[in-house]
Amino acid sequence: VFSSSRVSSFKRHLKTHTSERPHLCHLCLKTFRTVTLLRNHLNTHTGTRPYKCGDCDMAFVTSGELVRHRRYRHTHEKPFKCSMCKYASVEASKLKRHVRSHTGERPFQCALCSYASKDTYKLKRHMRTHSGEKPYECRVCHARFTQSGTMKIHVLQKHSENVPKYECPHCATIIARKSDLRVHLRNLHTYKAAEMKCRYCSSVFHERYALIQHQKTHKNEKRFKCEHCDYACKQERHMTVHVRTHTGEKPFTCLSCNKCFRQKQLLNVHFKKYHDPSFVPAVYECPKCGKGFSRWVLYE
DNA sequence: TATAGCGGCGCCCTCTGCTGGAACTCG
DNA sequence: ACGAGTTCCAGCAGAGGGCGCCGCTATA
């Protein structure tokens, strides 16, 4: 519905309802309703940019572009304010796009999967996951990437001299990526309400990093002590074998002669020596008297 | 009639951050 | 040798900035 106090404006408005476009661009055959529109269009062909910015070298085809540019780059005036947060933008379309992050509206539906995006660019970018297109190539190693940002990180991490590093403020661990530092903090330095017990003593912790550091202090302890004698060792599996010397347990049986052993390794040696025809016993010969020994220990 | 001002659509870009598999380390 | 934990890495989506171009209206 158009209304105007002036007849000329009304007549001009009526023209917008006709498909009449009498002004032809002789370079691309596009037609325009008014001379001004044609001239602006011709400027895009010739590169003529009459509207020059007073604060930088940029110049534009239309005055509107110049105003917008100045708002973005120089005045930072943002007339479009979001009613739900502090966001403000130079353009109405940007506010419209921003509001979707509040409403969750996703008007751009992918034709191939359930994904829908809030703006056209994200949908276009998403479509690369279906097409497999990787438009960004690393100049150094020619690896290809779906997004420019991913390539940028790749170049920074793989081909740059001053690779940025992120140091954990709690334990001084150096991590290559900021997001991985976040994962590190989450996994190792987050307070957990549930108690985490030390594997080797009764200490309890609420932070994984503290627990791990504490457990390392047990590293050189012979923390496995035999209940029946003074024997102590660092590894549980050694204690398991030792305890058999007290219980008499011999769980490994030779299938050829039914002889039993405390350790699997002893059974293997026995089988090789007495039941394996290809077995050749090692002989340690004394270089002085020529006497032979079956084991290095005896030779010594 | 020309121009300023504004709005709208589209395109491309950067920065940011999460995710999951690969590679590696360590007990 | 093995498994669990940790870090590396590419993939991918969210959010926002900046510009190109076109159309419309108001006004000088």
Side-chain angles (χ1 to χ4, degrees):
Chain A
V1 179
F2 178 84
S3 65
S4 174
S5 58
R6 293 170 65 169
V7 178
S8 63
S9 295
F10 181 65
K11 281 183 177 173
R12 190 184 52 231
H13 170 77
L14 282 179
K15 283 185 180 175
T16 66
H17 292 301
T18 71
S19 56
E20 204 182 328
R21 296 162 76 96
H23 305 280
L24 172 75
C25 170
H26 59 280
L27 293 171
C28 69
L29 305 182
K30 235 175 154 179
T31 57
F32 298 88
R33 224 170 39 75
T34 68
V35 181
T36 308
L37 290 174
L38 173 61
R39 191 171 49 243
N40 282 345
H41 171 78
L42 282 171
N43 282 342
T44 69
H45 284 304
T46 61
T48 309
R49 291 165 177 263
Y51 298 90
K52 299 190 192 317
C53 177
D55 291 316
C56 69
D57 293 337
M58 296 286 278
F60 301 88
V61 171
T62 67
S63 62
E65 287 170 47
L66 174 60
V67 169
R68 189 179 56 179
H69 158 79
R70 290 191 53 74
R71 281 180 179 161
Y72 270 126
R73 294 300 174 105
H74 306 300
T75 67
H76 304 294
E77 183 197 350
K78 294 177 176 181
F80 301 94
K81 320 269 185 210
C82 177
S83 60
M84 288 174 270
C85 71
K86 286 180 178 175
Y87 177 78
S89 66
V90 169
E91 296 175 79
S93 63
K94 298 298 183 285
L95 177 59
K96 197 175 165 187
R97 186 178 63 182
H98 163 81
V99 166
R100 290 191 190 121
S101 69
H102 291 299
T103 62
E105 187 198 0
R106 290 167 180 270
F108 304 96
Q109 176 68 51
C110 174
L112 301 173
C113 72
S114 61
Y115 176 76
S117 81
K118 291 169 186 165
D119 63 63
T120 50
Y121 176 68
K122 284 187 198 58
L123 177 59
K124 192 178 174 185
R125 191 177 61 181
H126 163 82
M127 294 312 286
R128 289 184 203 142
T129 67
H130 295 300
S131 69
E133 187 197 1
K134 293 185 174 185
Y136 304 95
E137 183 178 337
C138 171
R139 284 186 188 179
V140 183
C141 68
H142 304 291
R144 301 197 75 96
F145 302 88
T146 55
Q147 293 185 14
S148 62
T150 310
M151 185 183 75
K152 197 177 170 186
I153 293 290
H154 161 87
V155 171
L156 200 66
Q157 299 289 344
K158 292 284 186 72
H159 308 304
S160 301
E161 284 183 7
N162 297 317
V163 183
K165 293 284 180 190
Y166 298 91
E167 186 175 344
C168 172
H170 303 295
C171 65
T173 301
I174 304 293
I175 291 169
R177 285 166 179 77
K178 207 176 174 180
S179 60
D180 286 324
L181 173 60
R182 227 180 296 277
V183 172
H184 168 92
L185 289 170
R186 196 168 57 218
N187 287 345
L188 296 178
H189 298 296
T190 304
Y191 178 88
K192 303 263 170 59
E195 288 181 345
M196 291 175 281
K197 286 178 183 162
C198 171
R199 267 191 284 182
Y200 313 118
C201 72
S202 57
S203 302
V204 293
F205 299 87
H206 292 277
E207 185 205 57
R208 264 190 63 75
Y209 183 78
L211 170 69
I212 290 165
Q213 290 308 107
H214 167 80
Q215 285 183 163
K216 280 182 181 171
T217 67
H218 291 291
K219 192 178 173 183
N220 288 319
E221 282 177 9
K222 287 186 174 180
R223 51 183 181 263
F224 298 98
K225 295 178 180 19
C226 178
E227 290 174 9
H228 311 286
C229 69
D230 293 339
Y231 178 79
C233 60
K234 291 181 192 172
Q235 292 185 33
E236 192 176 10
R237 57 191 170 131
H238 292 162
M239 181 55 71
T240 307
V241 171
H242 166 79
V243 166
R244 288 182 191 138
T245 64
H246 296 294
T247 62
E249 188 195 3
K250 291 182 176 181
F252 302 98
T253 307
C254 174
L255 293 174
S256 300
C257 67
N258 291 330
K259 195 173 162 71
C260 296
F261 299 87
R262 273 194 287 277
Q263 294 178 49
K264 192 181 178 184
Q265 197 184 346
L266 293 176
L267 167 63
N268 288 342
V269 169
H270 158 86
F271 184 84
K272 242 187 156 111
K273 191 172 176 183
Y274 295 104
H275 305 296
D276 182 358
S278 63
F279 175 71
V280 180
V283 174
Y284 300 95
E285 194 175 273
C286 175
K288 289 177 184 167
C289 65
K291 190 174 178 181
F293 297 91
S294 61
R295 285 183 285 170
W296 179 253
V297 185
L298 297 176
Y299 164 72
E300 276 190 318

